[in-house]
Amino acid sequence: MELQPVDGGRVTLNYSITHPAQGAEIQITPREEWVHDFSVSAQTIAFTVDSNADAEPGSEPRQTFFTASYPEAYDKAVIVRQSAPEEAAALTFELTVHRVTPSQAEVSCIPSDPAATYVLDVMLRSEYEEYASDQALIESDIERFLRPGWTGEPGNIADHLTSGSQIEITEYLYYAERDYYLYAYGLDADGTVTTPLITKELFTTPAKPSIEAGEPEIYPVEGGTFEVTFRIDNPIDGATAEVQPPYNAEWLHSLEISDGKVIFTLDPNTAAEPGDAPRVSYFTISYPEAYNKAVTIRQAAPAL
């Protein structure tokens, strides 16, 4: 007969007897308690198979037999085999690094079991490779999780765990132009590790952007509209430059950025004392993750 499922249930077998005897009946002799409640009709033998859910997952099917007896016939042994629970599938992770800047990485982590708890973190490749094994890194993480906080209260593993899919979350980084690992492994709040190995994804942070601007001249006393060229080295995809106007210098105004240029207007400086030094102000060009660039503007006073 076919292999019975883990959950068990009622089983019915068909049978036939060649040359049956008048008034004779089949007698059943069971061998194991987990196969019981036999009933025999003219053409079927029915019985109940108990659940095998308590068996070790992944173990071999359990087996027994019962004997069907009939007068003047050889006994018939019927073998009953029942599956054990399947071994739970190992927890796995799908890691994706979507976008990387010098100080951030947008990442996703999709676990194979949405209910599982796990650690998701980033680490410099050089630091990661200092650990002798995945187990050594995990033990170090758990030790760090359990360290007392600044208030003296003991650490809690659960505070460092996540679950479910994490889609395009931001991990903050310290170094540009360095190799990092995004890594994940299964961990329960009691410290039980639920994955045999760490899943990791290597990525590299790009160089930090910088702003280079041309040296402005001394602008004429009459004022007017002018421009200063600039460029962004190591640009970040999708990022844009901005310009901040000067503080408390209303004569420098109407600043705009267009195609690598800052366009601005200077009011006339004709009211200044003839022969004075040029008046000075500045505006600031900013760009994500770059140091701001201050551009000094000098405007001449009337000549003597």
Side-chain angles (χ1 to χ4, degrees):
M1 60 181 295
E2 62 186 17
L3 187 67
Q4 300 303 305
V6 176
D7 295 338
R10 196 70 177 162
V11 181
T12 300
L13 297 179
N14 295 322
Y15 76 91
S16 63
I17 298 176
T18 304
H19 309 304
Q22 183 69 30
E25 295 181 351
I26 286 181
Q27 300 295 321
I28 301 297
T29 304
R31 300 289 178 175
E32 301 280 352
E33 293 183 354
W34 55 274
V35 179
H36 56 90
D37 290 342
F38 288 87
S39 64
V40 180
S41 70
Q43 294 181 330
T44 63
I45 299 172
F47 55 92
T48 297
V49 176
D50 287 341
S51 170
N52 195 25
D54 293 335
E56 184 71 22
S59 61
E60 292 296 317
R62 65 177 174 178
Q63 179 173 303
T64 188
F65 69 93
F66 63 85
T67 303
S69 303
Y70 191 80
E72 304 295 332
Y74 292 111
D75 290 348
K76 177 67 174 180
V78 179
I79 296 173
V80 180
R81 299 174 67 247
Q82 184 181 25
S83 300
E86 291 185 3
E87 194 166 12
L91 178 63
T92 59
F93 301 94
E94 180 183 335
L95 299 180
T96 306
V97 180
H98 300 281
R99 181 174 181 267
V100 181
T101 73
S103 66
Q104 297 179 14
E106 290 183 2
V107 304
S108 295
C109 177
I110 302 175
S112 58
D113 179 1
T117 55
Y118 60 93
V119 173
L120 179 65
D121 209 345
V122 292
M123 182 180 292
L124 280 168
R125 179 180 181 177
S126 57
E127 295 179 356
Y128 187 100
E129 292 177 349
E130 289 178 359
Y131 291 94
S133 64
D134 285 358
Q135 184 61 35
L137 188 154
I138 293 171
E139 290 174 358
S140 176
D141 274 354
I142 292 174
E143 180 184 358
R144 172 167 55 90
F145 299 159
L146 293 175
R147 287 176 194 157
W150 65 273
T151 61
E153 296 181 359
N156 188 343
I157 291 176
D159 292 340
H160 301 270
L161 302 180
T162 188
S163 62
S165 295
Q166 305 298 315
I167 304 298
E168 295 191 26
I169 62 173
T170 300
E171 295 284 352
Y172 295 95
L173 313 171
Y174 290 104
Y175 303 103
E177 299 182 272
R178 299 287 292 275
D179 290 340
Y180 280 85
Y181 276 123
L182 171 70
Y183 69 93
Y185 60 87
L187 186 66
D188 291 339
D190 63 0
T192 301
V193 181
T194 58
T195 48
L197 296 173
I198 292 175
T199 301
K200 61 184 182 290
E201 185 73 16
L202 181 67
F203 66 93
T204 303
T205 51
K208 192 176 181 67
S210 62
I211 306 169
E212 300 295 330
E215 289 295 329
E217 57 190 274
I218 296 179
Y219 295 100
V221 63
E222 296 82 9
T225 298
F226 306 94
E227 61 184 41
V228 171
T229 60
F230 72 93
R231 74 171 188 272
I232 306 296
D233 292 336
N234 306 314
I236 296 173
D237 186 33
T240 57
E242 296 182 352
V243 60
Q244 287 77 45
Y247 173 73
N248 200 23
E250 296 180 355
W251 54 273
L252 168 55
H253 56 87
S254 302
L255 291 94
E256 297 180 1
I257 282 188
S258 176
D259 296 329
K261 301 175 184 178
V262 178
I263 303 168
F264 58 95
T265 297
L266 299 179
D267 290 341
N269 194 24
T270 52
E273 188 71 24
D276 276 356
R279 61 179 176 181
V280 179
S281 186
Y282 68 91
F283 58 80
T284 304
I285 304 172
S286 64
Y287 188 82
E289 303 205 30
Y291 295 111
N292 290 347
K293 179 69 174 181
V295 178
T296 301
I297 301 299
R298 296 177 176 83
Q299 185 180 20
L304 287 173

